[in-house]
Amino acid sequence: MTEETPGFDEKPDVPSGAGPEDATPKAAESDSLKESGPAAPAGDAHDVALTAQLDQVRTALHERTADLQRLQAEYQNYRRRVERDRVTVKEIAVASLLTELLPVLDDIGRARDHEELVGGFKSVAESLEAVTVKLGLQQFGTEGEPFDPTIHEALMHSYAPDVTETTCVAILQPGYRFGERTIRPARVAVAEPQPGAQPKSADEAGAKDEENGGPEEG
């Protein structure tokens, strides 16, 4: 009679109603978890989101700063343009007023030349001239200065042996300027060198030679 070895026919405990697949060892489930790798911590994902939001805020800040700088530059240009236009308009208005006063100043000048500037008329005339000077009106034009077509207007022309270039020999009407703007050119009489005349320096040299008995012979 053969004896049976105990434990060889024993089967693993399986809950009632479970299939064969439920008898899979738990070690297989553990192996699958190891193959999938460790899960990313939740804190790292939160930091990435915060960094992205910070980058967006920085970009928006740079854009708003650039817009503000552009608006500030445009405002400064606008202020300079308005100030320049204001100064220009003021200069035009003052120049227009002074232009209207030029005939009065001419009358005052003629009265002074004829010694008629006396009494109360003299006081008023001097006050008016002082006001025009204060506003920036400048008179120019003197006898003997070279003729300059940009500031002189020649009304009379002649020849003279004692000039070496076209020269203003008489001021018929003074010129006036306001700042760098010529309101009225000086109206003058001009004289040019006599055609064929020798330069003044040569004439003086010839006269000196005559006084010394003529040029020395070599």
Side-chain angles (χ1 to χ4, degrees):
M1 184 174 182
T2 307
E3 296 181 359
E4 294 181 359
T5 305
F8 277 51
D9 294 335
E10 293 180 359
K11 295 181 179 181
D13 296 336
V14 178
S16 60
E21 64 277 5
D22 294 333
T24 305
K26 293 183 179 181
E29 183 176 355
S30 176
D31 293 341
S32 63
L33 291 176
K34 291 180 180 180
E35 292 177 358
S36 62
D44 293 345
H46 183 66
D47 291 342
V48 171
L50 288 179
T51 302
Q53 292 180 359
L54 182 60
D55 291 339
Q56 292 178 356
V57 172
R58 287 175 177 173
T59 301
L61 178 61
H62 291 326
E63 292 177 353
R64 298 300 179 271
T65 302
D67 292 341
L68 181 60
Q69 292 175 347
R70 183 173 60 256
L71 289 175
Q72 186 177 8
E74 291 178 356
Y75 177 67
Q76 293 296 335
N77 292 335
Y78 169 76
R79 287 187 59 186
R80 285 192 290 266
R81 185 169 59 253
V82 170
E83 181 65 19
R84 184 172 59 250
D85 293 344
R86 185 184 67 82
V87 173
T88 301
V89 170
K90 180 181 178 181
E91 290 179 351
I92 292 174
V94 174
S96 178
L97 172 63
L98 294 174
T99 301
E100 295 297 327
L101 291 176
L102 293 185
V104 180
L105 296 177
D106 291 337
D107 292 339
I108 293 175
R110 284 190 289 267
R112 181 177 287 111
D113 294 338
H114 292 82
E115 299 181 355
E116 297 176 355
L117 199 61
V118 295
F121 178 53
K122 178 180 179 181
S123 178
V124 173
E126 291 177 348
S127 298
L128 178 60
E129 290 176 334
V131 170
T132 58
V133 172
K134 185 177 180 180
L135 290 175
L137 185 67
Q138 298 177 354
Q139 180 178 312
F140 66 91
T142 56
E143 294 182 5
E145 64 183 4
F147 176 75
D148 184 353
T150 61
I151 60 174
H152 296 139
E153 180 181 354
L155 300 183
M156 299 178 63
H157 176 270
S158 63
Y159 294 96
D162 57 344
V163 296
T164 58
E165 60 181 344
T166 305
T167 305
C168 300
V169 294
I171 306 299
L172 306 179
Q173 203 172 44
Y176 291 95
R177 66 168 58 96
F178 173 68
E180 298 180 356
R181 180 185 309 176
T182 300
I183 296 180
R184 187 182 73 185
R187 292 164 180 170
V188 300
V190 299
E192 291 184 319
Q194 191 73 29
Q198 294 180 352
K200 188 175 181 180
S201 58
D203 292 339
E204 292 176 352
K208 186 175 181 180
D209 291 338
E210 292 178 358
E211 292 175 0
N212 295 334
E216 297 180 357
E217 295 181 1

